Amino acid sequence: MTEGTFRPSAVPLVTVDPYFSVWSSADRLTDDFTRHWTGQRQAMTGLIRIDGTTWRFAGRVESSVERYFTEPPAMEQTRLSVSPLCSAYSFEAAGVALDVRFITPLLLDDLDVLSRPASYVSLEVRSTDGKSHDVQIYFDVTGEWCVDHPRQSVVWGKGENEGIVWQRMSHAEQNYLNKSGDDLRIDWGDFYLCTQSSDRVRTYVDSANIRKTFARNGEIVAGKSLGMPLEVADGKPVMAVVFEAGELGADPVKSLVVLAYDDIYAVEYFGDKLQAYWKRNGMSTMEMIAEAFSDYEQLMVRCTEFDRQLLDDALEAGGEKYADILALSYRQAIAAHKLVIDLNGDPLFLSKECYSNGCMATVDVSYPSVPLFLLYNPELVEAMIRPICQYARTDAWTFEFAPHDIGQYPLGNGQVYSENAREGQMPVEECGNMLIMAAAVCLAGGKVSFARENLDLLEQWTHYLLEFGLDPDNQLCTDDFAGHLERNANLSVKAIMGVASYSILMAYMDNDVESERYLSLAREMASKWKILADDGDHSKLAFGQEGTWSLKYNLIWDLIFGTDLFDEEIIHREVEWYLKQRNEYGTPLDSRETYTKADWLIWSASLATDRDDFIKLVEPLWKMINDTPDRVAFSDWTDTITARQLNFQHRSVVGGFYMKLLKEKGIK
């Protein structure tokens, strides 16, 4: 991130999966309580006592029932830097500097680490004025993290295991996978705060009043034990740790906290309760936490190298502001998924359609997200496609086209979108998406065997596109918020690229004759599209609608796949048109409204052959996320005039921001 110039709308802190994802929605870490991506408060509070005076470095202290309690002042926040895997803050006060780093090691080429529900908070303190200082650091997290709403009650425990001091808090009623929906938080499983054992470490499970006790004198005296279960709103229970830095000098003193969440059961998948991928060989929670501590040093080396390489690549591909966008979106794209393993031992990478309807494994949410995963591990794209293929083979799916989803997160027991009414489906959209993703997996080095096993479905969906895709009837596409549209020109491009994708798949099946036949059919469709879509210096929103336009983001696959179905001149004219339509905060999605979709805008910008044109189209998105008053995890649906969020946040589609990088590095 460009330090000092970019203000994220929200900063990722603890980002593991759709239920274990906490952010800071403020300019300074001390300006507000930290929050789950849905906006519900899931607080952490950090205090530091320097030579008898207490300061805050994270969150707030609860409003006191005591009339004369004054909240400790905030340390000066001197730095915020967001890289793909780390959000780093620096603070100063009273001759002491404190560095706080939030790291979730979401390394896509290591599924064991990727699945591990453990996130690091590292604390490093040192003297800056040449004097020694007496320093203690207090850090806590609340019971809010393991309930859906604060009127639920929690229980807790603590102990020590092989050098690790652990504290655990859980909802008092353990009803696994008890509901589905969008604006929900987990209320089953166990939440942990863990540290390494030391005579300088003290841990507490108590009410939030211990913050005030620490603020006054640095000592926390055990009082009356809290009774269990305890309602979160009334008791305000916290798990806390105090680190004694001792007489602090110029040499840094380091401390480490691991926050972990064992959800016990992660999702329901066609009637089966499945556990997270990391549990597949019987690993226990404490073994997982122990590995998190033992792996810390080498993981930090790997994370630092990954961040450096990714940001260098992004800078070269699209400039500093593009690199900022990729840094902010990386953890979000992954944390909107859950990695589990099915009863056959195959991985499933299941998305939650955050802040749109909560659908699970949504095809037209997977489709925009795949550039990130094609770059770093195409196996995860296969793991997105797998549940849709399985569902399409069941008696519950009666349509000749591809499904939209497999349920509502975390219950994947069959499609819920549009109540399965035909008129509410996305037939051309989802067929094209599935075919394009399948071809992309093969080209990116994924397993051809998976496509071969599902070739009958892929062929069926290709034939659907050949019959109905060139000139689509009145139907929804992925941009369903815009409503039904007849003769959608961009949707037609998707159908054409879907047929071309089947040609690619045929080549991987060593069937060159069929490969050439389907490629010829795609060329014929593209030739007809050129005539139908032409509107002079740009293409139409819909065939027959002169004077309209839209972002033709689906064209990017013609460049990625190297199929050359669409003339260079068509693509050049499109880019020139998008540049002319720019508003302060981006180019609109189409001529009907002033809103845009950030993922589709970056795909459309990636059509540009001139790097400067790409930068001109993407920089307004950087400005939007910098200026928006809506302090939420990266929203992909915003207004190009006001920078306001229309809806959507924390969605996996931000993985699509990596399309320019995928184009530059190549898929083959």
Side-chain angles (χ1 to χ4, degrees), residues 270-281:
F270 302 116
D272 297 317
K273 287 182 170 61
L274 301 184
Q275 296 185 322
Y277 182 90
W278 66 271
K279 289 188 169 187
R280 71 194 186 285
N281 295 321

Side-chain angles (χ1 to χ4, degrees), residues 18-230:
Y19 284 138
F20 193 27
S21 184
V22 172
W23 297 60
S24 171
S25 300
D27 291 347
R28 291 173 293 274
L29 191 57
T30 51
D31 285 351
D32 188 22
F33 291 105
T34 57
R35 299 182 180 275
H36 188 260
W37 67 262
T38 56
Q40 182 80 25
R41 191 176 76 179
Q42 293 192 341
M44 64 174 74
T45 293
L47 304 173
I48 183 170
R49 191 167 173 84
I50 306 170
D51 298 326
T53 300
T54 304
W55 305 76
R56 279 183 300 118
F57 65 85
R60 308 297 301 265
V61 174
E62 296 278 1
S63 299
S64 175
V65 295
E66 299 174 34
R67 189 171 179 182
Y68 300 108
F69 178 79
T70 301
E71 185 172 58
M75 299 183 81
E76 180 187 0
Q77 183 175 302
T78 58
R79 182 181 74 113
L80 166 61
S81 175
V82 178
S83 66
L85 294 171
C86 175
S87 297
Y89 292 87
S90 294
F91 303 92
E92 290 187 4
V96 168
L98 172 65
D99 294 326
V100 184
R101 300 171 72 225
F102 298 91
I103 308 111
T104 309
L106 301 176
L107 295 164
L108 290 168
D109 63 349
D110 189 334
L111 297 188
D112 287 300
V113 172
L114 182 74
S115 173
R116 185 185 293 165
S119 191
Y120 300 105
V121 184
S122 76
L123 306 160
E124 182 174 312
V125 63
R126 66 190 183 280
S127 172
T128 59
D129 61 4
K131 302 176 182 177
S132 63
H133 298 276
D134 182 48
V135 172
Q136 300 90 36
I137 297 174
Y138 169 100
F139 179 83
D140 76 32
V141 287
T142 71
E144 296 161 330
W145 291 56
C146 55
V147 295
D148 179 35
H149 57 83
R151 286 299 170 189
Q152 293 177 304
S153 297
V154 295
V155 294
W156 54 85
K158 59 188 299 186
E160 184 172 342
N161 185 64
E162 296 183 2
I164 296 171
V165 180
W166 57 267
Q167 300 173 86
R168 180 182 64 228
M169 196 168 283
S170 317
H171 181 210
E173 299 178 15
Q174 289 291 299
N175 185 9
Y176 307 120
L177 305 167
N178 62 82
K179 55 183 173 291
S180 68
D182 194 10
D183 189 7
L184 293 175
R185 290 136 301 273
I186 195 168
D187 59 6
W188 66 88
D190 301 318
F191 176 41
Y192 290 83
L193 182 154
C194 304
T195 58
Q196 291 166 308
S197 178
S198 167
D199 57 5
R200 296 191 170 215
V201 172
R202 292 173 282 131
T203 61
Y204 308 87
V205 180
D206 210 322
S207 77
N209 286 328
I210 63 173
R211 297 169 181 163
K212 295 189 285 290
T213 304
F214 179 85
R216 288 191 183 99
N217 55 31
E219 292 293 330
I220 300 174
V221 179
K224 182 180 179 181
S225 297
L226 298 177
M228 294 191 290
L230 181 65

Side-chain angles (χ1 to χ4, degrees), residues 1 82-84 306-316 323 327:
M1 189 181 83
V82 178
S83 66
F306 178 82
D307 282 356
R308 184 197 63 76
Q309 187 62 60
L310 193 160
L311 294 176
D312 284 351
D313 291 343
L315 183 64
E316 182 178 354

